[in-house]
Amino acid sequence: MPKLAEYRRKRRFAETPEPRGKTAHRDDKVFVVQKHDATRLHYDLRLEVGGVLKSWAVPKGPSLNPGDKRLAVHVEDNPFEYRNFEGTIPEGNYGAGEVIIWDQGTYEPEGALSAAEQLERGELKFRLHGSKLNGSFVLVKLKRSQAKNEWLLIKHRDEHADPMWNVDEHGESVVSGRPLPKTHKEKQKEKRVNTDSSPLNPAELPGARRAPMPSEI
Ligand code: MN
């Protein structure tokens, strides 16, 4: 099966601004983490291996705390160009919602085996050089898990580890510096809350006229 078949099968490229994708020529070792507000908010960790982006959906996001073991669900390969994708996947399409580039940079596999060989064995040790994520990590496949695609993402103890680190304090795009845009659903909800409970502003009432404070009451 061609490498990107499943990626392409799930998408209608006439409707979504996501790239259709071709495989990379160079073996660039890049990584990206996209924050994706789809049905459920998650972070997509993607590592370039063999010209495509090997991908894991991390519901709670990566952590610099070595005590955190973050579930990382191995999903289909994405095209190399996907590392640059930031935008809106339209309603009704696969993964509909907002995507920002939450972190990006380069990585290097650790140890004697290549990234592809380590992945095959179900344990990849790698070092990230990003804006938010740095240092040594491991992705380890849960061999006893019923679901065959469950891995854990764990930070190794090194000079970049930070037990107090909190993903929510680092929410913005490393490209635009802006947070994830609000979804259509959130905007609708906010509108409802505002119209339901905002206190009346006398100046906005029909017929309201500005007048000096009376000197006696
Ligand atoms: Mn995703």
Side-chain angles (χ1 to χ4, degrees):
M1 188 168 75
K3 276 179 177 167
L4 297 171
E6 190 178 352
Y7 171 87
R8 287 181 184 140
R9 185 179 60 73
K10 288 177 171 170
R11 290 171 171 80
R12 294 195 295 267
F13 293 101
E15 296 177 25
T16 176
E18 297 164 293
R20 186 162 197 288
K22 35 188 189 299
T23 54
H25 295 295
R26 295 165 299 147
D27 193 30
D28 289 347
K29 290 274 177 277
V30 304
F31 87 94
V32 63
V33 178
Q34 279 146 324
K35 191 174 177 182
H36 183 186
D37 194 2
T39 312
R40 288 213 182 115
L41 179 74
H42 61 276
Y43 295 73
D44 291 299
L45 166 66
R46 309 189 197 277
L47 303 170
E48 188 278 318
V49 180
V52 294
L53 298 175
K54 296 283 168 192
S55 300
W56 289 261
V58 185
K60 290 187 176 174
S63 178
L64 293 182
N65 180 356
D68 289 336
K69 294 178 171 61
R70 291 293 163 81
L71 176 68
V73 180
H74 195 191
V75 296
E76 77 275 14
D77 298 347
N78 273 36
F80 191 52
E81 300 104 296
Y82 206 93
R83 72 196 188 285
N84 296 320
F85 180 72
E86 188 167 80
T88 307
I89 304 172
E91 287 289 321
N93 287 271
Y94 177 71
E98 302 290 338
V99 177
I100 58 170
I101 298 174
W102 180 82
D103 199 14
Q104 61 185 358
T106 59
Y107 84 96
E108 47 189 310
E110 294 182 313
L113 297 178
S114 71
E117 287 165 334
Q118 294 190 51
L119 284 179
E120 195 59 41
R121 293 176 176 216
E123 186 170 341
L124 171 60
K125 292 183 175 136
F126 56 101
R127 179 166 279 273
L128 295 180
H129 308 281
S131 301
K132 296 175 186 173
L133 301 178
N134 280 283
S136 177
F137 290 78
V138 63
L139 268 168
V140 59
K141 190 173 183 180
L142 288 171
K143 297 208 167 90
R144 267 178 254 154
S145 150
Q146 293 285 357
K148 297 260 187 291
N149 53 357
E150 291 184 335
W151 296 56
L152 293 176
L153 174 65
I154 307 164
K155 177 81 193 77
H156 283 142
R157 286 174 205 284
D158 61 15
E159 70 277 22
H160 298 288
D162 177 2
M164 299 306 287
W165 195 83
N166 176 355
V167 72
D168 295 326
E169 291 168 9
H170 307 270
E172 73 290 347
S173 159
V174 289
V175 176
S176 69
R178 286 195 290 270
L180 201 57
K182 289 196 173 104
T183 58
H184 180 65
K185 227 192 287 173
E186 279 174 327
K187 284 183 201 152
Q188 294 299 106
K189 201 171 153 194
E190 257 175 28
K191 225 189 245 171
R192 272 200 308 277
V193 170
N194 287 340
T195 44
D196 286 353
S197 62
S198 61
L200 291 177
N201 178 355
E204 284 172 0
L205 292 176
R209 246 174 298 146
R210 183 173 286 276
M213 196 71 144
S215 51
E216 269 178 72
I217 305 174

